[in-house]
Amino acid sequence: MKNIGILGAGQLARMLALAGLPLEMRFGFYDTTGNPSVGLDPVLIDVDAIPSNPALQTFIEASDLVTYEFEHLPLPVLKYIEEKVTIYPPVRSIEICQDRAKEKALFTELAIPTPAYRIVESEAALVTAVAELGTPLVSKTTTDGYDGKGQFIIKNPDQAKEAWQAIGGRPLIVEAFVNFSRELSVIAARASTGEVKIYPLAENEHHEGILRYSTAPAPHIAEETERQAKLYIQELIESLGHVGILTLELFETPNGLLANEMAPRVHNSGHWSIEGAHVSQFENHLRAISGLPLGDTQATRPTCMLNIIGNKGDINAIMALPYAHIHLYDKEERPGRKLGHVNVQADSYEELVWRVNNVAAYLPGAGNYQLKS
Ligand code: AMP
């Protein structure tokens, strides 16, 4: 039996615990937002997140092993915890993944293609970068951005100043706007023994920067695309010495894949694996960090995960559909908030599209589900 401390107390922490309980693991959560939604005890709340806080001491003492559900954590706190108890994935993975500049540098070092980019720290540098790269461009804060927050699309060079005013005053990355044919992600688990298992690629559809649908295995993936995606994540996970789940988001273009960003943790585009794979990303993360054998990452059937965003819609009607697996996160409704997801499986992609649209019909704003290819 292992006591696992999770830094963060949102839905990812919740789903990790739900996967770990059958493996006789116990969980405690450490929340730095003052707004934990995990719905499970014990949660220690410590919004200041400084080493001398008693809540942190209690959390460390209760944990045999610490992991995390999100990477935007203060490094001094992580380094402090690391001196007392093992943190997996290692802090180096967070250090790189919480800073887009470091992440891009690693992609470049490993010859993993990414959109052309510049890092800028002033309005003047942004203006120069825009002139050099040409428009359209996407500017993003190098740290703390997620779900499209902290992003500004520069459609013409005149907008460089506007972009700096909107999200600047801090380092930005400005990168070529990619006309991708679709967004893909690949998720891998690595154990401390070096064993790596990779999930099939997922096809992801975003709306207003927020993931709406993930379909796995991504339909009609060229063998070469699959090979490249798996090679890139294998190189990343090994070069980081990562232990646990690592996610890589990619753009598929006619000229091959481009890496967008990575996350050193379980990921929304892997929620399909709860029903859709032999062993889910959550269970494999826990197995990897606890020194247990990794489980089979293969998909059992075509699966789609559809996020419930902002409004739970007619959840009872969804429950009545025999193919809908509902996962709710115990959160209050709020525009743009991820409240849960539904996993749907089918024997063919045609049937999957039909089933998912039947679910989406009960979720306001879910839109129409279509596969890209
Ligand atoms: P990110 O926070 O980098 O994952 O960006 C959120 C979403 O914005 C992505 O999933 C894409 O849909 C879109 N996006 C980000 N970067 C680019 C880019 N360089 N070109 C086109 N779309 C992008």
Side-chain angles (χ1 to χ4, degrees), residues 73-294:
L73 294 158
L75 284 177
V77 172
L78 293 165
K79 290 192 169 149
Y80 177 82
I81 299 173
E82 199 183 25
E83 282 168 17
K84 322 260 179 232
V85 58
T86 304
I87 301 186
Y88 277 149
V91 175
R92 187 171 121 79
S93 293
I94 304 194
E95 231 171 321
I96 292 179
C97 295
Q98 69 176 209
D99 184 340
R100 291 186 196 266
K102 290 187 182 154
E103 198 172 85
K104 288 276 193 184
L106 182 62
F107 292 154
T108 308
E109 187 190 314
L110 296 174
I112 297 173
T114 72
Y117 74 97
R118 300 277 189 282
I119 307 292
V120 297
E121 298 195 4
S122 69
E123 186 180 300
L126 178 59
V127 171
T128 309
V130 172
E132 281 172 13
L133 292 168
T135 50
L137 294 165
V138 184
S139 46
K140 310 175 183 177
T141 52
T142 54
T143 54
D144 294 334
Y146 65 97
D147 281 353
K149 293 187 177 75
Q151 271 197 29
F152 190 101
I153 296 180
I154 302 176
K155 295 193 181 115
N156 60 65
D158 298 344
Q159 285 181 300
K161 289 188 174 170
E162 203 185 317
W164 184 258
Q165 251 143 41
I167 59 166
R170 55 198 289 187
L172 296 183
I173 181 165
V174 57
E175 64 182 38
F177 184 93
V178 180
N179 233 332
F180 49 78
S181 38
R182 59 180 163 169
E183 293 188 73
L184 300 170
S185 57
V186 60
I187 296 180
R190 182 173 180 272
S192 53
T193 55
E195 181 190 12
V196 174
K197 291 221 172 182
I198 307 178
Y199 284 91
L201 272 58
E203 172 180 316
N204 303 321
E205 190 184 325
H206 292 80
H207 182 67
E208 291 170 355
I210 303 177
L211 183 68
R212 201 156 284 258
Y213 297 106
S214 278
T215 309
H220 308 296
I221 282 284
E223 246 172 64
E224 178 57 13
T225 306
E226 174 118 19
R227 194 191 65 78
Q228 276 188 337
K230 291 189 169 171
L231 177 72
Y232 295 160
I233 195 146
Q234 180 102 25
E235 285 177 342
L236 285 164
I237 213 165
E238 279 170 5
S239 84
L240 288 167
H242 192 84
V243 174
I245 290 279
L246 181 75
T247 304
L248 176 64
E249 292 182 41
L250 297 153
F251 298 131
E252 185 181 42
T253 78
N255 304 320
L257 293 172
L258 294 174
N260 176 29
E261 62 172 356
M262 58 180 179
R265 56 168 168 79
V266 288
H267 194 261
N268 196 169
S269 69
H271 293 1
W272 66 271
S273 65
I274 299 177
E275 276 87 20
H278 287 287
V279 174
S280 76
Q281 62 165 350
F282 300 100
E283 184 175 331
N284 261 333
H285 180 75
L286 295 168
R287 289 186 186 210
I289 65 172
S290 316
L292 298 169
L294 295 181

